[in-house]
Amino acid sequence: MKQSSHNGAALAVKIEIDGLTKLQRMTRSICLIALGLACVGITEAQESRSSNVAYPIPQWEAVEPKVAGWSEDLLEKARIYSAASGSSAVMVVDHGRVVAEWGDTHRRLDVASVRKSLLSALLGIAIEEGQVKLSDTLGQLGIDDKAPGLTPTEMQATLADLLTSRSGVYHAIDLEPPAVGAERPPRGSHAPGEFWYYNNWDFNAAGSIYEKVAGAGIFNSFKQRIADPIGMQDFSVEACYYGETRVSNHRHYGFRLSARDLARFGLLYLRDGRWNEQQIVPANWVQDSVKPRAKPHSELFPGRGYGYLWWSGFASDWAPTVSLPKSTFYALGFGSQYLFVLPAQDIVIVHLVDMEREHWPWVSDFQIGRLLWLILSAARVDDIGPDTSVATAVLASADLLKGSLPGKTLRYAETALDGPYFMRFATDGTASLQKGEARKQVYSGKWWVAGNKLCRGWDKFLPRFDCWPVAIGGSIISLYGDHDTMFLQGSLETE
């Protein structure tokens, strides 16, 4: 297990409840009895998590997993699994100390849409300082866009609508892949606040709003207000970048952060915006912004909730994955850039992939779920779901597959937006996929058994096909994908 390389003369600063000053105790008491007044003192959550807590000042302190109560064997399995999946950097922090890290945790990588959670912190500060309000509309803020400009209805979208991706503004943006743009709803199809759509126009416009009300650029502000105060070791304004403004006034703002610096940001949020003795991000904003406020209706984000540019919930429509503690929230970026914060366990987990290298690997959510299961098992966290690795399964033989599948239908994805799905294995070797209770046919093709694996190929994608090891237990059938990960689970039905 690779330990932190930054534990030379690290100074661990503990905040003990018993060490609260008399003034701090009085501040908290006044907060409890004052009516209608905001409080910037120590919160209940901060008090409950403040014993045995360290901050990386100036560098991260490492602790032996065994000393911290973690399983070294399971962390090693997580490291091996992560390396096989293609992760570039992983960092695991427990009570403010590094229990495990591997990969280039000091290297700045493009964190993709994690940028949005970083902006959320800056906006929380701006709101606290009275520069902007969640209820401010685009019209009030003087936000428009290139022709065709915003309509009067679109101008009624509020900052809160943008931060929850519900503005109803479906203006084109720069550098949008054609396939993504084709899925964007038509202009005027939804009123502000009524429909969730993962909309980069909202996120880019929110960046424009911040720069307008703060009178400063996003990256310089992040350095001054957050990166420097929490001691980010690798942050560079020059490493960040803005996108084009050919079709929209509102540009992409790209952050490159190291895993160890992103972990600092996670620890900041784990501490309700407090860093040592300084309140960096308002505690009430941290708590409010990570609460789920919208339920995504999207095949890309099953079982998740969306707050003010933060995610909660982690699930799959196809197969069981890790069950994260209910208080968990996270930042998410394309290419499996993840920052997980687990308040109940006092844990921060960072996972990054270098997407700027040639032939970078796609790490699926199934793989992220498996990696999280291994890490949280190492931490001895309860109720994270069963071990769904192929190593725990009793795999079916070729004879069992040939005798069990002909004439049967595999029903799965019960909770999917367009589910359930029905994959039929006809006795003549043909296969079909239908979706929804109306069983609308989507694909047709063939199925066969190769060795002890089930194989299936759709006519639309020939010559591509997939093969999986299979476990059959009664009517339950489980298919296993690459990297020791369950890919699909459902039930076999006779029609």
Side-chain angles (χ1 to χ4, degrees), residues 140-419:
Q140 291 170 331
L141 293 167
I143 297 297
D144 203 338
D145 211 337
K146 294 187 176 183
L150 303 190
T151 67
T153 298
E154 291 172 332
M155 285 284 196
Q156 294 305 306
T158 65
L159 177 59
D161 292 331
L162 268 63
L163 299 188
T164 54
S165 204
R166 295 185 293 188
S167 73
V169 180
Y170 306 125
H171 192 284
I173 65 170
D174 289 273
L175 301 179
E176 185 175 51
V180 176
E183 294 182 357
R184 187 190 313 112
R187 294 282 295 272
S189 57
H190 298 286
E194 73 172 20
F195 182 76
W196 189 92
Y197 168 72
Y198 193 70
N199 190 0
N200 273 302
W201 189 93
D202 289 5
F203 311 135
N204 292 349
S208 296
I209 290 171
Y210 176 78
E211 293 190 328
K212 184 172 186 176
V213 302
I218 291 172
F219 307 129
N220 286 320
S221 291
F222 188 83
K223 175 177 171 57
Q224 176 187 356
R225 304 306 300 264
I226 296 175
D228 286 348
I230 69 175
M232 285 189 173
Q233 297 166 267
D234 309 305
F235 182 78
S236 166
V237 170
E238 290 71 29
C240 302
Y241 62 95
Y242 285 108
E244 298 178 355
T245 55
R246 292 184 300 103
V247 300
S248 173
N249 292 329
H250 310 298
R251 54 189 177 173
H252 177 97
Y253 42 93
F255 279 82
R256 291 187 179 93
L257 294 178
S258 66
R260 63 182 181 178
D261 279 354
L262 188 53
R264 283 181 185 255
F265 184 72
L267 184 61
L268 174 68
Y269 263 64
L270 185 64
R271 300 284 169 258
D272 293 321
R274 191 174 185 83
W275 195 262
N276 196 12
E277 295 297 333
Q278 184 180 3
Q279 193 73 41
I280 306 297
V281 182
N284 62 340
W285 176 255
V286 172
Q287 295 158 13
D288 288 345
S289 62
V290 302
K291 293 178 181 176
R293 299 178 176 279
K295 183 176 177 60
H297 295 284
S298 168
E299 294 181 35
L300 295 176
F301 308 112
R304 308 191 187 198
Y306 202 67
Y308 294 138
L309 306 182
W310 283 91
W311 294 91
S312 60
F314 188 88
S316 165
D317 287 335
W318 285 34
T321 185
V322 67
S323 296
L324 297 179
K326 290 184 178 180
S327 58
T328 301
F329 57 91
Y330 57 95
L332 163 63
F334 180 79
S336 289
Q337 321 301 343
Y338 274 103
L339 166 62
F340 289 97
V341 181
L342 288 73
Q345 288 70 33
D346 214 58
I347 291 173
V348 173
I349 302 170
V350 174
H351 176 276
L352 295 179
V353 173
D354 180 6
M355 298 187 297
E356 295 182 278
R357 75 177 191 262
E358 190 175 4
H359 305 306
W360 58 274
W362 180 264
V363 182
S364 70
D365 277 354
F366 293 108
Q367 292 167 281
I368 293 296
R370 177 64 182 161
L371 177 61
L372 287 173
W373 191 93
L374 288 168
I375 291 173
L376 297 184
S377 293
R380 310 185 198 283
V381 177
D382 296 328
D383 301 324
I384 60 173
D387 185 347
T388 59
S389 66
V390 68
T392 65
V394 178
L395 297 179
S397 65
D399 289 341
L400 179 59
L401 292 176
K402 292 176 181 177
S404 302
L405 297 182
K408 300 289 182 63
T409 296
L410 169 58
R411 176 174 176 147
Y412 63 103
E414 293 287 342
T415 60
L417 188 64
D418 53 354

Side-chain angles (χ1 to χ4, degrees), residues 67 105 171 173 344 349 443 467:
V67 173
T105 57
H171 192 284
I173 65 170
I349 302 170
Y443 303 128
C467 296

